[in-house]
Amino acid sequence: MNTLSSQWGAKEKSAWLATQTIKRAYREQVINQIHALDKQFTIKQYGALSYDANRYPLYVVTSPHWHKDKPILLITGGVHGYETSGVHGALSFLKQKTLDYSQEFNIIVAPCISPWGYETINRWNPFAVDPNRSFYPVDNKQGINHEAEESRLFMQYLAGIEQPILMHIDLHETTNTDNTVFRPALAARDGKPQKTWNIPDGFYLVGDSNNPQDAFQKAIIDRVQQVTHIAPADNENKLIGEPLSQWGVINYPTQALGLCSGVTNAKYTSTTEVYPDSPNVTDALCVKAQVAAITAGIDYLIEHEVK
């Protein structure tokens, strides 16, 4: 199935789906943790995935003391469900740090946007679609089809928020399976070769090439390197094939690519990339790095934006 010939049709996608299995439990590992916070936060179900609505309800958690005059901060995890520390980093931020910032900010946390991907340890959804290439604005004029229901439902939720969002940090990982599993599958699905590159050993960020906010990204890198190592550039001064913008940072045109971090028009955006396969980290350290990235971004706003 991973040989290059032509693009996958319904038969090939169905065959791929048949090979996917449940490996961990979204309800026990994520939903139960969310509901355990109901005395401290507001929990809202913003939808459910239609292919198994009972198994895959979707939640956001918002901070107390919500006020229309406070800036809104958005934290998202699990857009790629297999990227574990993104989900548990968002949950840990809720449990450990959110209340510390709730007087100054309205905070929205979506811990797991792609729960089927979380359970099957998958980048795609069941229809072989990447949710993190489907976050085109709801009011886009390009006629782009929102293929991923996971993305569409979250965008519908965001469309109901009347206040502007000041910061959005989207929590991700770069894993060895990106080269060994995902890119070969992508090549087979699309019927064309895909480039591979050395997986960076360490943490890095992806900013927006149209709004890089270099000082903001640097503040995050400076904080995270106190927790874990920052990925060095390769011999071409690149990370995952992209030129280095600064130490530990590359930039993508996030909105043009339909990435989650570009969906809000926030002034400050960043995508974290943790490397969980490094021999120098643990699962707990990866989660700690995600939380450090979020808090560094917020502390930067307190210094530069909050009057």
Side-chain angles (χ1 to χ4, degrees), residues 44 46-48 135-138 146 149-161 263:
K44 177 181 175 60
Y46 66 88
F135 283 96
Y136 295 100
V138 173
H146 299 292
E149 183 179 22
E150 294 84 352
S151 308
R152 175 175 55 80
L153 289 170
F154 189 62
M155 287 187 292
Q156 288 175 349
Y157 165 75
L158 291 176
I161 298 173
V263 76

Side-chain angles (χ1 to χ4, degrees), residues 21-80:
T21 59
I22 300 297
K23 299 177 177 68
R24 54 189 177 185
Y26 171 61
R27 183 166 298 278
E28 284 74 15
Q29 297 179 18
V30 181
I31 294 177
N32 289 353
Q33 289 200 50
I34 291 172
H35 286 311
L37 301 171
D38 64 356
K39 290 182 173 60
Q40 297 172 291
F41 303 100
T42 300
I43 298 169
K44 177 181 175 60
Q45 182 178 338
Y46 66 88
L49 298 178
S50 62
Y51 46 83
D52 198 336
N54 290 329
R55 190 179 185 99
Y56 300 126
L58 302 166
Y59 294 97
V60 293
V61 183
T62 58
S63 58
H65 317 300
W66 191 278
H67 194 280
K68 63 182 179 64
D69 293 331
K70 293 194 296 190
I72 296 178
L73 313 181
L74 174 64
I75 310 301
T76 49
V79 173
H80 288 147

Side-chain angles (χ1 to χ4, degrees), residues 124-203:
W124 293 339
N125 71 8
F127 307 103
V129 174
D130 187 340
N132 206 35
R133 296 297 185 275
S134 299
F135 283 96
Y136 295 100
V138 173
D139 62 349
N140 81 86
K141 304 298 190 295
Q142 302 175 48
I144 296 169
N145 179 30
H146 299 292
E147 294 182 278
E149 183 179 22
E150 294 84 352
S151 308
R152 175 175 55 80
L153 289 170
F154 189 62
M155 287 187 292
Q156 288 175 349
Y157 165 75
L158 291 176
I161 298 173
E162 296 180 356
Q163 302 150 259
I165 293 172
L166 177 62
M167 183 192 83
H168 178 192
I169 295 184
D170 190 29
L171 308 179
H172 283 257
E173 294 181 343
T174 303
T175 72
N176 289 342
T177 58
D178 289 3
N179 272 353
T180 61
V181 176
F182 169 64
R183 299 199 73 78
L186 180 63
R189 187 197 69 179
D190 294 349
K192 58 185 180 182
Q194 295 290 325
K195 292 181 180 179
T196 60
W197 39 73
N198 293 331
I199 300 298
D201 185 348
F203 179 96

